[in-house]
């Protein structure tokens, strides 16, 4: 595995068919999320009519990627009742969907018999993994890239199993 990780924009730019993302934590302490989470706790909610105020430049990147014909899917495995952080994520996910991402939610109790990798990941074109490593408190411990065929197979199969059971964002109700 390589420790040299290209920028995310480059990974998506080189993607031709699919980019899938599996999230399995109930909270993240990632620095670029902290201000948005704090604002949400204080009552801020995205205005569906004010697209310019949404999470930029991420949503622009997703919109451009989907516009090239790449299918972008995100699945989140969550404990129920959901954590405050997952409630925050759920409340803003409509922006991801509006940008072209397909998003589904899977209650953790329904994932017990799925073989899952030990870390969150992005899988690009079923061949390149960007592992997302986190510390115990949810802070980023840095990404890692892998093209290991066994690992890509594990990630692909795990994602598809989760996706098949998960509830589309528009139908998932916070519990």
């Amino acid at each position: 595995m390589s420790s040299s990780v290209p920028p995310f924009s480059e990974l998506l730019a080189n993607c031709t068919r699919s980019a899938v993302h599996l999230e399995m934590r109930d909270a993240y302490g990632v620095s670029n999320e902290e201000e948005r989470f704090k604002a949400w706790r204080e009552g801020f909610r995205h205005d569906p009519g004010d697209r310019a105020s949404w999470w930029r430049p991420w949503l622009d990147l997703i919109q451009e990627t989907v516009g090239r014909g790449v299918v972008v899917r995100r699945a989140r495995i969550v404990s129920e009742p959901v954590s405050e952080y997952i409630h925050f994520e759920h409340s803003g996910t409509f922006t991801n969907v509006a940008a072209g991402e397909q998003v589904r939610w899977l209650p953790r109790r329904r994932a017990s018999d799925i073989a899952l990798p030990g870390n969150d990941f992005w899988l690009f074109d079923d061949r390149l993994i960007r592992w997302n490593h986190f510390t115990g408190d949810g802070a980023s411990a840095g990404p890692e890239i892998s093209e290991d065929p066994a690992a890509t197979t594990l990630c692909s199969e795990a994602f598809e199993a989760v996706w098949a059971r998960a509830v589309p964002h528009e139908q998932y109700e916070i519990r």
Side-chain angles (χ1 to χ4, degrees):
M1 290 189 204
S2 169
S3 61
S4 175
V5 179
F8 207 87
S9 58
E10 184 179 319
L11 293 169
L12 280 177
N14 291 327
C15 194
T16 61
R17 295 181 320 280
S18 68
V20 301
H21 184 36
L22 183 60
E23 297 177 357
M24 299 180 284
R25 296 180 59 91
D26 287 320
Y28 293 87
V30 182
S31 59
N32 65 347
E33 287 282 302
E34 290 173 6
E35 286 302 313
R36 288 195 302 270
F37 186 40
K38 181 180 176 194
W40 179 84
R41 283 177 136 174
E42 293 170 356
F44 172 81
R45 298 299 183 268
H46 287 291
D47 176 356
D50 185 11
R51 290 178 71 105
S53 70
W54 299 351
W55 187 18
R56 305 289 181 196
W58 172 252
L59 296 174
D60 296 325
L61 179 60
I62 293 301
Q63 193 168 14
E64 184 275 323
T65 302
V66 170
R68 290 188 293 107
V70 176
V71 176
V72 179
R73 297 183 294 161
R74 179 187 305 256
R76 292 176 170 142
I77 298 174
V78 296
S79 299
E80 291 181 326
V82 300
S83 67
E84 183 183 31
Y85 188 87
I86 294 301
H87 192 106
F88 154 70
E89 278 193 330
H90 186 270
S91 76
T93 295
F94 77 91
T95 64
N96 298 70
V97 172
E101 262 190 79
Q102 299 172 42
V103 181
R104 292 187 181 180
W105 303 81
L106 181 64
R108 191 171 309 283
R109 71 180 181 281
R110 295 187 57 216
S112 296
D113 62 346
I114 299 173
L116 298 167
N119 294 288
D120 290 8
F121 64 86
W122 278 91
L123 178 61
F124 302 95
D125 292 333
D126 290 318
R127 63 165 193 80
L128 179 69
I129 303 166
R130 181 186 190 268
W131 296 111
N132 295 329
H133 299 292
F134 295 96
T135 64
D137 63 1
S140 176
E144 185 176 16
I145 293 292
S146 173
E147 291 183 279
D148 176 68
T152 58
T153 297
L154 171 65
C155 289
S156 179
E157 290 175 355
F159 184 87
E160 294 305 329
V162 168
W163 190 257
R165 292 183 190 182
V167 178
H169 175 69
E170 299 78 10
Q171 297 171 14
Y172 182 71
E173 296 179 24
I174 290 292
R175 298 173 202 258

